[in-house]
Amino acid sequence: MSTRLIRPLAAASVAAVLALTGCASGAAAPAEQAAATTVTVEDNHGSIEVPVAPERVVALDNTTFETLSEWGVKLVAAPKPLMYDLWPSLSGGDEVLDAGLHREPNIENILASEPDLIVGGYRFREIYDQLKEIQPATIETSPRDGEEHTSELKRQTAILGQVFDKNDEAAKLNADLDAAIADAKAAYDPSQTVMGLITSGGKISYAAPGEGRGVGHLFPTLGLTPALDRAAEDASHGDDISVEAIAAANPEWLFVLDRDAMFGEDGYVSAQELVENAEALKNVPAVQKGQIVYLDGSFYLDEGIQAYTKLYRSAAEAFAS
Amino acid sequence: MRQTVLPPRVALPAAGFGVAALVVLSLFVGTYDIAGDSFGAEMFFISRVPRTLALVLAGCAMAVSGLIMQLLTQNRFVEPSTTGTSEWAALGLLVTVLLAPAAPLLVRMVVASVAAFVGTMIFIGILRRISLRSSLVVPLIGIMLGAVVSAFTTYLAVSTNSLQMLGTWFMGSFTSIVRGRYEVLWVVAIVVFLVFLYADRITVAGLGRDIATSVGLDHTRVMLIGTGLVAVATGVTTVVVGFLPFLGLVVPNLVSMWRGDNARANLPWVCLGGVAIVIVCDIVGRVIRMPFEVPVSMILGVVGSAVFITLLLRMRARG
């Protein structure tokens, strides 16, 4: 065997040993503490047994952060770049290891944090198998594509409620979401057309009804009448559309996700400036009547049940006024 | 390519007429029904006219930039996107946005142009130091250089959370060009005009340093001025519309295959060709997914790479 072959082999076996010790210590830790209490939940991959209210949690799913933060869960590793400074109680100080960004996950840190439970996320789904190797108690609960979005959010919250022993709190979150949707539906007049937009880098894109993040889900959930109903090619970033086409669609309402708002200052043009100052849009009813709902700046990083509840609430308020 | 049947005196106006027809077509293609309501006429001036002017200016700028670069480096496969010039401009723009977020557009363009100039000089500097200058090695070096620069730009963008914006900025697209968003492009009209004045000297410089010097030309100065003009055109176009790949490659090559290498005589043709290709690609982009748009850079990429390969094969056939 040449040295060229030996090296990767050696590296692989070291990695395997590391992975094994990771598993072993991960499995051993809960045995001391709360070995008796486990719960079986249905996550996106099927039935899985996980410890209840685990001590050492790694959460990678941005749609769970708000909930975990509200419930006072502490993390041992978290994708800090993805969290920005929105959840200081989760991303914490140096004692919380950085799991990296989904483009470049720091698997070593996840391993080193010796988790009892990993909450995998849709951005991190590519490393699901690796996470499983580190800790078999890895759950994925993010809303699945193609399923009804609201029930997916509630399903996720219910699972988290079971795992973290916060069933009542979970039920409350779900009830709040239902209430916000009911209010928005009641306030909406279906004869008024709606269009979803995403702005980034000083440009406006179109968010197709039913798909993508936030803006798209409004349509099926609230039964909105689209001003322009076309399938999306790029659901999460929006499709290239000219102001002419927006003007031609003549929407009564606009829902706008400002992608750059979170990262603010870097020479960014706000969605408000782009939409309301566009000469071509000044005759569009939504702009004339000021019927524009801007999504929260943090929405794009959050996307959890609270973010949607807030969005539906603001829709309800806007429709009612 | 064979000489056309049309005498040159008729050919240029005829081509000009053809391009003018495209310009008019561009003015009347779009989602909003211009004749439909009273706002139509206003929309025409808000959206169509600026967009078409931007197409004309950017098309001219990138095609002429390609021509100058090809003459100065004596290589047919060189243009701002194969010399790293565009990538340097992008780096310059990102750095300004990060360091001085509130800086006006003019400052951004100046910095982008200066970065493009520095980058192009580095490229030319490397060229001077290598002995192997076969037609393919030169653009390869440029592309590699550009890749290194854009890797650094991407790193900067990732670490400052602005990758998303970066992608939107440099995607060559005229979708968001409306009144108030394109006017700075007129700078490139000045550049093209200066190129006209300077064309003969650039042609002579294109014969090589030795010949140029022996006929009494300050080769270094022409090199600097030529590179400067390219840098400004590229910097401004990159800041306003993004990357327009292959345009500078395809147009001058087609023209010089047909007419030879006299820069002054070719310039009007290069301008017309650049405008025609950009307008056609943009109209296609506007129409194929109406009411959505396909960015012009994507269509240029497809068209450009096809022509690029054809050129390569033809050159090999000719030896």
Side-chain angles (χ1 to χ4, degrees):
Chain A
M1 205 185 274
S2 73
T3 43
R4 268 173 63 203
L5 254 175
I6 290 173
R7 267 210 207 138
L9 269 181
S13 55
V14 168
V17 169
L18 273 175
L20 281 173
T21 49
C23 286
S25 57
E32 302 156 11
Q33 282 253 321
T37 47
T38 60
V39 62
T40 306
V41 296
E42 288 286 330
D43 81 339
N44 292 1
H45 299 271
S47 195
I48 180 171
E49 193 176 306
V50 296
V52 171
E55 284 278 302
R56 304 186 62 81
V57 182
V58 172
L60 302 174
D61 188 345
N62 55 300
T63 62
T64 65
F65 292 154
E66 186 68 28
T67 305
L68 297 183
S69 159
E70 259 180 44
W71 291 350
V73 175
K74 293 279 175 226
L75 301 183
V76 288
K80 294 186 178 184
L82 180 62
M83 305 171 92
Y84 212 52
D85 53 9
L86 287 174
W87 300 280
S89 72
L90 297 183
S91 47
D94 295 338
E95 73 281 2
V96 180
L97 296 177
D98 187 2
L101 200 58
H102 44 293
R103 291 190 199 90
E104 216 178 341
N106 191 335
I107 309 262
E108 277 176 44
N109 270 353
I110 298 176
L111 184 60
S113 67
E114 301 185 354
D116 305 335
L117 175 84
I118 300 178
V119 183
Y122 74 96
R123 286 178 211 253
F124 286 85
R125 65 189 149 212
E126 270 158 40
I127 57 163
Y128 176 72
D129 291 333
Q130 281 165 281
L131 296 176
K132 268 286 195 210
E133 265 175 52
I134 295 173
Q135 172 53 272
T138 293
I139 55 169
E140 281 196 335
T141 58
S142 342
R144 294 166 292 191
D145 287 337
E147 304 285 329
E148 206 273 303
H149 187 252
T150 308
S151 50
E152 287 292 293
L153 283 176
K154 291 194 283 185
R155 182 184 62 94
Q156 174 179 39
T157 316
I159 298 172
L160 293 176
Q162 285 176 289
V163 174
F164 292 97
D165 196 19
K166 300 273 184 190
N167 286 312
D168 296 345
E169 287 86 341
K172 165 110 189 9
L173 284 175
N174 287 347
D176 285 349
L177 177 65
D178 282 334
I181 291 173
D183 287 350
K185 268 185 175 165
Y188 175 64
D189 166 11
S191 70
Q192 303 221 306
T193 57
V194 184
M195 188 181 231
L197 301 175
I198 300 173
T199 66
S200 178
K203 295 183 182 170
I204 305 176
S205 325
Y206 165 81
E211 294 169 81
R213 301 197 180 131
V215 188
H217 291 305
L218 279 160
F219 289 85
T221 308
L222 301 183
L224 305 180
T225 313
L228 175 67
D229 195 1
R230 293 285 291 264
E233 199 123 287
D234 184 348
S236 55
H237 304 111
D239 287 293
D240 212 13
I241 194 169
S242 61
V243 278
E244 268 188 44
I246 302 171
N250 214 31
E252 291 277 339
W253 287 92
L254 284 173
F255 282 85
V256 187
L257 170 61
D258 189 340
R259 262 184 99 93
D260 305 337
M262 198 60 231
F263 311 112
E265 57 272 74
D266 295 350
Y268 114 105
V269 193
S270 74
Q272 193 165 0
E273 216 174 310
L274 280 176
V275 175
E276 291 173 27
N277 291 350
E279 280 185 288
L281 297 181
K282 66 180 179 195
N283 277 359
V284 170
V287 177
Q288 271 188 337
K289 300 178 197 164
Q291 305 195 124
I292 309 175
V293 179
Y294 296 97
L295 275 63
D296 209 62
S298 60
F299 189 94
Y300 158 66
L301 282 185
D302 185 333
E303 299 179 76
I305 188 166
Q306 295 86 346
Y308 278 97
T309 306
K310 218 165 163 188
L311 172 58
Y312 294 129
R313 271 191 200 135
S314 55
E317 269 168 42
F319 289 146
S321 63
Chain B
M1 232 179 243
R2 273 174 289 123
Q3 196 69 32
T4 66
V5 277
L6 282 173
R9 206 171 293 176
V10 188
L12 194 58
F17 189 74
V19 172
L22 280 173
V23 167
V24 173
L25 182 64
S26 162
L27 286 173
F28 289 96
V29 173
T31 350
Y32 200 86
D33 184 6
I34 296 290
D37 57 53
S38 55
F39 191 53
E42 212 184 329
M43 186 64 97
F44 186 75
F45 289 103
I46 291 173
S47 158
R48 301 286 168 81
V49 173
R51 182 168 186 152
T52 305
L53 284 174
L55 285 165
V56 170
L57 292 169
C60 245
M62 293 319 283
V64 169
S65 297
L67 175 71
I68 303 174
M69 289 299 298
Q70 284 158 28
L71 286 170
L72 291 184
T73 58
Q74 296 173 276
N75 186 296
R76 293 218 174 283
F77 295 107
V78 156
E79 66 124 13
S81 73
T82 58
T83 56
T85 309
S86 305
E87 283 81 0
W88 279 93
L91 178 62
L93 175 57
L94 183 67
V95 168
T96 354
V97 167
L98 293 180
L99 293 183
L105 196 58
L106 191 71
V107 174
R108 292 191 190 179
M109 290 191 323
V110 169
V111 177
S113 301
V114 169
F117 181 77
V118 170
T120 315
M121 290 318 284
I122 292 176
F123 170 73
I124 291 175
I126 293 176
L127 276 196
R128 286 209 175 151
R129 276 169 185 74
I130 55 167
S131 48
L132 187 68
R133 297 180 65 171
S134 85
S135 57
L136 284 177
V137 169
V138 172
L140 270 181
I141 292 172
I143 290 169
M144 275 155 49
L145 205 64
V148 171
V149 174
S150 86
F152 182 69
T153 311
T154 309
Y155 165 75
L156 256 186
V158 167
S159 51
T160 54
N161 262 325
S162 39
L163 193 62
Q164 185 73 36
M165 281 198 270
L166 197 70
T168 353
W169 275 343
F170 299 130
M171 167 76 81
S173 160
F174 291 86
T175 310
S176 58
I177 299 287
V178 286
R179 192 158 71 194
R181 289 284 297 271
Y182 86 101
E183 284 77 359
V184 286
L185 271 179
W186 283 107
V187 173
V188 302
I190 301 170
V191 171
V192 173
F193 176 72
L194 290 177
V195 172
F196 264 100
L197 292 183
Y198 223 65
D200 290 337
R201 268 167 273 191
I202 292 174
T203 310
V204 176
L207 298 173
R209 169 180 281 272
D210 298 340
I211 299 176
T213 313
S214 67
V215 298
L217 187 82
D218 185 346
H219 185 262
T220 313
R221 208 176 97 196
V222 175
M223 206 76 168
L224 282 175
I225 292 176
T227 312
L229 291 173
V230 169
V232 171
T234 312
V236 173
T237 315
T238 306
V239 171
V240 180
V241 283
F243 294 156
L244 296 175
F246 289 118
L247 199 58
L249 188 81
V250 169
V251 177
N253 271 297
L254 290 179
V255 171
S256 75
M257 279 169 83
W258 170 48
R259 296 178 46 93
D261 278 335
N262 182 336
R264 184 192 284 281
N266 282 358
L267 257 175
W269 287 99
V270 170
C271 277
L272 286 177
V275 172
I277 291 186
V278 153
I279 290 192
V280 168
C281 288
D282 189 60
I283 290 178
V284 170
R286 269 184 264 176
V287 171
I288 52 176
R289 269 190 78 219
M290 237 159 170
F292 303 125
E293 306 204 356
V294 178
V296 74
S297 57
M298 216 178 270
I299 296 167
L300 270 178
V302 174
V303 175
S305 42
V307 177
F308 186 73
I309 291 167
T310 318
L311 279 177
L312 273 181
L313 294 177
R314 277 175 148 272
M315 292 210 162
R316 232 176 56 183
R318 283 193 296 178

